[in-house]
Amino acid sequence: MTVFAQPASLKRPAVREHYEETILQPVDLTSHVDLIDTQVMQTLSGLFPSGQAQIWGVTPGINGANLSQIRKMQPGDVVFFSGSKRLYLVGTVALTWHNPALAHRLWGVDDRTEQTWEYMYALTGVRGIDFPMEEIRSLLSWNPNRHIQGFVALRETDGGILKDLVGFEDSIHGSLLPDSEEPTTPPYGPSDAAADAQRRAEQGRLKKALLPGAEGECALCGRTLPRAFLVAAHIKKRAACSEEERWDLNNVAMLACLLGCDSLFEYGFVAVEEGGQLRISPVAASAPPVAKYIEEHLADRSIAWWTTEREQYYAWHRSHTFQLGALTPDQVNN
């Protein structure tokens, strides 16, 4: 699984128009069946039964500069969109294919390169985020002046950190790049045993601080459960915490149950508003079992675990992890 950075400044009128017409408003696939290869259309129809998909594309670049990067992309990869000095959108690649004619119809031609965005990809799980580039540079130990200036596959370590921030899991679909352009994914390297040991130790410290006894209360659903069914869940992702924040044991984490609440918070289906009111993601409605669990255990709850000291961590979770749809250009540019 590879993580890509996709520059797309919504301050540029053309990019804004493309974003509004093929991301904010998904593309009606049936309207373009005359330009879509039969095999591609069949695959898209299976992936998107509604007949609509959020689509983006990449130009070949001057002298084919983007080709080495786009050939790495395959279904299951993750793409972060950047612009206005932030990462503002993330999604999972559902399908990749090559179609100059469809790209020209949807987006025309880039007036700077006279190329169209013919290396196309459809996205699933699209959500708006707000990761300031200053934060990203610090998190990934980048040069303070570094910007994302071109479509690029990130280093495995950098991509893994960003993927962890938004709780993306690996998924597998089919790729429809031309055979000669079929990407290969390099195998992951060995795990960092020292880092794993440190994380386990931190989890132990957190759980001991939050749960000294044999039973505890889930901060989200409020149920009292045996120790084995509760975890110390980071409110702000561990990877994004400073050393000082990691040692803020009484505030940076909360007890969450393994019966559902931990995963719902981890993957952004629920968040905690300032003041403690539980907020439900609109994405939950698309998964009936998830929506049913929320309705039975979390609907209309106010979280007693919220405090002013913990608000900074809950605020981070709302802006970085909570699942919203694609942000509007005005939301991104403000």
Side-chain angles (χ1 to χ4, degrees), residues 192-208:
D192 188 332
D196 289 343
Q198 182 179 356
R199 283 191 288 271
R200 287 194 296 270
E202 287 181 13
Q203 172 64 208
R205 288 196 297 268
L206 278 170
K207 190 166 183 178
K208 184 176 181 180

Side-chain angles (χ1 to χ4, degrees), residues 9-280:
S9 174
L10 299 182
K11 291 183 178 179
R12 288 185 59 204
V15 176
R16 179 180 180 130
E17 180 180 351
H18 298 170
Y19 178 84
E20 290 176 337
E21 293 180 353
T22 66
I23 295 293
L24 277 184
Q25 177 61 50
V27 175
D28 180 4
L29 300 171
T30 59
S31 298
H32 306 286
V33 68
D34 59 314
L35 296 183
I36 302 177
D37 177 83
T38 301
Q39 182 187 0
V40 175
M41 189 65 191
Q42 289 177 346
T43 306
L44 286 169
S45 297
L47 291 169
F48 302 97
S50 68
Q52 296 184 322
Q54 292 164 296
I55 294 175
W56 204 250
V58 180
T59 67
I62 303 299
N63 297 322
N66 291 332
L67 295 181
S68 64
Q69 298 298 306
I70 193 62
R71 287 169 180 163
K72 298 176 184 178
M73 178 180 277
Q74 58 184 340
D77 290 341
V78 175
V79 183
F80 286 85
F81 282 51
S82 68
S84 298
K85 300 181 180 180
R86 57 174 48 84
L87 301 182
Y88 65 84
L89 190 83
V90 63
T92 300
V93 177
L95 190 71
T96 62
W97 73 102
H98 184 226
N99 193 326
L102 178 58
H104 192 279
R105 176 184 286 178
L106 292 175
W107 303 306
V109 174
D110 186 347
D111 56 10
R112 299 179 302 180
T113 64
E114 298 185 354
Q115 297 178 340
T116 192
W117 295 265
E118 60 196 76
Y119 292 90
M120 307 181 72
Y121 57 91
L123 291 167
T124 61
V126 173
R127 73 176 84 161
I129 55 176
D130 184 13
F131 292 14
M133 283 306 302
E134 181 179 356
E135 178 182 346
I136 295 302
R137 293 187 194 102
S138 175
L139 186 64
L140 303 182
S141 300
W142 285 0
N143 184 295
N145 298 317
R146 180 173 174 179
H147 295 279
I148 297 172
Q149 296 180 328
F151 177 79
V152 63
L154 298 177
R155 293 187 310 169
E156 181 182 326
T157 52
D158 292 349
I161 290 171
L162 292 183
K163 187 173 76 81
D164 181 64
L165 289 180
V166 293
F168 268 72
E169 292 187 313
D170 297 348
S171 59
I172 299 175
H173 301 284
S175 174
L176 286 168
L177 284 169
D179 291 342
S180 63
E181 298 173 0
E182 194 69 29
T184 57
T185 303
Y188 287 119
S191 62
D192 188 332
D196 289 343
Q198 182 179 356
R199 283 191 288 271
R200 287 194 296 270
E202 287 181 13
Q203 172 64 208
R205 288 196 297 268
L206 278 170
K207 190 166 183 178
K208 184 176 181 180
L210 300 176
L211 182 58
E215 291 184 332
E217 181 179 295
C218 174
L220 296 176
C221 69
R223 289 177 289 185
T224 298
L225 296 165
R227 183 185 185 89
F229 291 90
L230 295 163
V231 295
H234 276 84
I235 301 169
K236 179 177 180 179
K237 294 277 189 178
R238 177 190 177 278
C241 288
S242 65
E243 192 67 20
E244 181 181 0
E245 288 172 334
R246 290 178 186 175
W247 283 96
D248 189 9
L249 302 182
N250 292 322
N251 296 310
V252 75
M254 64 184 179
L255 289 178
C257 72
L258 293 172
L259 304 181
C261 292
D262 177 53
S263 293
L264 289 173
F265 190 82
E266 172 77 10
Y267 295 116
F269 285 96
V270 298
V272 177
E273 296 280 23
E274 185 172 4
Q277 186 66 33
L278 198 66
R279 183 179 179 186
I280 310 302

